[in-house]
Amino acid sequence: MNAADVTRAEANLRPVTRLTPIEHSVRLSEVAGVPILLKREDLQVCRSFKVRGAYNRISQLDPSEREVGVVCASAGNHAQGVAFACQSLQIHGTIYLPVSTPRQKRDRIRALGGQWVELDFVDGAFDHAQQVALAHAEQSGRTYIHPYDDPAVMAGQGTVAIELFRQLEGGVETVLVPVGGGGLIAGMAAWLKEARPSIRIVGVEPAGAASARAALDHGSPKTLAGIDSFVDGTAVGRTGDRTFEVVRALVDDVVVVDEGAVCTEMLSLYHQDGIIAEPAGALATAAVCAAAAGRIGDLGLSGPTVAIISGGNNDLSRYAEVMERSMHYEGLRHYFLVTFPQQPGALRHFLDLVLGPEDDIVHFEYTKKNNRDLGPALVGIDLARPEDLGSLLARMEASPLHIEQIPTDSDLLRLLI
């Protein structure tokens, strides 16, 4: 896969995909100190860049391959692209999805594919779904449409680079790209580095599924022991073999951001910019904020920077979890085990002497124990500012109540967030 492949893919996709806009972000530009521009792939057909790769690959099938049909595995967005292509080209497809795929994405896949696609759900994350799909393809003779590690898919996804380069007339210094399996960043790097080698290309991964960073550190793709599937669009336990070679050769850096930072940025995009981004879609801009706050290393931004908003297929029912993770990451939400005397006035004492004037109880679980003097309660408290924690802990220490803060690495806390 090279720049010429990406150029051919762009011509192939032009009648099918949208030329998505580039928007200047005042908020992020102020944070970064350089112009930050958003490439809005959340406004693409199927609300994700993934349709570019899926359609480019499926449209190249020969007549006999089209007759047999296709198979794919996906965390959601690639499946929508495959479904769209199957419907458009009238090719039957079977799509394997992790059971954790948000309902919104499931419904969209069905709507896009109609009678041409069949959905099958698999326990575990994407990597297991891919194993099942590959076995099906081998048994049935259908063509497996890889979500990233395929030259035609990489070339199709890389057409994002051609668009943004033309839209900005080459006036871009750095491009921030979300990374899952690596198809998008590999395709973009192949074209951009030939168009202008000085452009800096930085990949962004979530901490819970940083397979590309692990591969670069290891020197070859390696399978992660486990992943956090919250950023479902990039929840890949092993980066692609083909994409890795391109990333290693052409990408300047791959950085890792905490899922909590992604959640905070999702909320900022929604509340301040009016953009509904899925978790993977907020990765690139989350890196801008995390770097400015000193939570990750310097991104090396020296001029106009494009951040790819890669998708907007977010289930609104997830926003409660998004808020929880964000508040915890920002140091604004903390959980405690409080042992109350089972007598009148104990809770009033806690409220009057321990809770600060701007502190807010957001979680309270207590079950009265018969024939016992003491009863435990699980209490979640929101602070107005992270620095308020010190005074809260001091008041707790001075209180006659036994209060224990739940550590951030506690299994109980992981259940809560």
Side-chain angles (χ1 to χ4, degrees):
M1 192 275 304
N2 54 37
D5 296 322
V6 180
T7 300
R8 283 190 290 271
E10 192 273 334
N12 183 38
L13 292 170
R14 201 176 302 151
V16 179
T17 57
R18 294 174 186 155
L19 174 62
T20 54
I22 289 182
E23 299 175 354
H24 177 253
S25 172
V26 174
R27 172 179 65 89
L28 291 167
S29 298
E30 290 177 351
V31 167
V34 298
I36 301 294
L37 305 159
L38 308 180
K39 177 62 170 168
R40 296 289 305 277
E41 282 297 288
D42 57 303
L43 301 178
Q44 185 53 265
V45 174
C46 306
R47 297 202 287 265
S48 164
F49 75 94
K50 285 285 191 176
V51 68
R52 297 173 181 266
Y55 191 95
N56 191 54
R57 175 68 180 91
I58 293 173
S59 67
Q60 296 178 29
L61 296 176
D62 63 36
S64 62
E65 291 171 326
R66 293 187 179 210
E67 180 67 26
V68 177
V70 300
V71 178
C72 82
S74 170
N77 285 340
H78 177 61
Q80 292 187 45
V82 169
F84 174 84
C86 286
Q87 174 82 285
S88 301
L89 300 168
Q90 298 190 346
I91 297 171
H92 287 287
T94 300
I95 298 173
Y96 288 89
L97 297 163
V99 292
S100 60
T101 301
R103 180 175 298 278
Q104 184 271 346
K105 290 187 178 181
R106 300 183 187 195
D107 293 342
R108 284 283 294 165
I109 294 164
R110 291 189 178 99
L112 289 164
Q115 64 179 344
W116 295 96
V117 299
E118 176 186 356
L119 273 58
D120 205 331
F121 297 96
V122 179
D123 289 334
F126 162 77
D127 298 274
H128 185 222
Q130 180 172 251
Q131 292 173 7
V132 176
L134 285 168
H136 180 182
E138 184 175 352
Q139 293 167 4
S140 65
R142 289 185 168 192
T143 301
Y144 179 69
I145 308 300
H146 203 288
Y148 49 85
D149 210 28
D150 178 288
V153 172
M154 293 156 64
Q157 294 177 1
T159 58
V160 175
I162 298 179
E163 285 188 10
L164 71 85
F165 196 81
R166 288 175 179 169
Q167 287 170 300
L168 298 174
E169 298 179 345
V172 55
E173 297 295 327
T174 303
V175 181
L176 303 176
V177 186
V179 178
L184 176 63
I185 196 169
M188 292 185 67
W191 194 89
L192 286 171
K193 286 295 187 179
E194 182 164 311
R196 202 173 84 209
S198 63
I199 289 180
R200 181 171 168 80
I201 301 173
V202 178
V204 186
E205 288 188 296
S211 59
R213 183 68 265 169
L216 290 169
D217 293 341
H218 184 254
S220 63
K222 62 177 294 187
T223 302
L224 301 178
I227 63 172
D228 182 341
S229 62
F230 174 77
V231 186
D232 51 294
T234 57
V236 175
R238 180 186 173 90
T239 194
D241 293 326
R242 292 186 177 94
T243 59
F244 171 73
E245 294 302 328
V246 179
V247 169
R248 179 167 60 176
L250 299 179
V251 172
D252 295 278
D253 196 7
V254 174
V255 300
V256 176
V257 298
D258 190 275
E259 280 76 4
V262 174
C263 291
T264 295
E265 178 58 14
M266 287 176 68
L267 295 171
S268 295
L269 285 167
Y270 178 67
H271 291 302
Q272 300 183 47
D273 305 307
I275 297 173
I276 299 176
E278 62 186 81
L283 269 172
T285 52
V288 173
C289 297
R295 298 202 183 206
I296 63 172
D298 183 26
L299 295 176
L301 307 184
S302 59
T305 297
V306 176
I308 310 298
I309 306 293
S310 59
N313 285 303
N314 194 37
D315 190 334
L316 292 179
S317 66
R318 301 182 74 193
Y319 269 95
E321 182 184 4
V322 171
M323 178 66 77
E324 182 75 37
R325 283 178 177 253
S326 172
M327 293 291 286
H328 184 72
Y329 173 77
E330 296 296 330
L332 296 173
R333 181 166 294 174
H334 302 271
Y335 288 90
F336 303 88
L337 287 175
V338 183
T339 303
F340 286 101
Q342 296 201 132
Q343 62 188 38
L347 179 57
R348 172 56 59 190
H349 173 88
F350 179 80
L351 296 175
D352 291 343
L353 300 182
V354 175
L355 216 61
E358 295 183 276
D359 299 339
D360 187 20
I361 293 179
V362 294
H363 188 98
F364 191 91
E365 289 186 46
Y366 173 75
T367 302
K368 185 173 182 178
K369 304 293 184 182
N370 291 326
N371 303 317
R372 293 189 187 179
D373 294 330
L374 302 172
L378 175 61
V379 182
I381 298 176
D382 277 2
L383 306 176
R385 294 163 293 276
E387 55 268 27
D388 291 346
L389 178 62
S391 58
L392 174 64
L393 293 177
R395 291 192 298 273
M396 288 180 170
E397 182 68 25
S399 168
L401 299 173
H402 177 74
I403 304 174
E404 178 183 350
Q405 185 175 10
I406 299 176
T408 56
D409 59 352
S410 162
D411 289 337
L412 177 57
L413 191 60
R414 280 194 286 269
L415 287 173
L416 290 169
I417 65 171

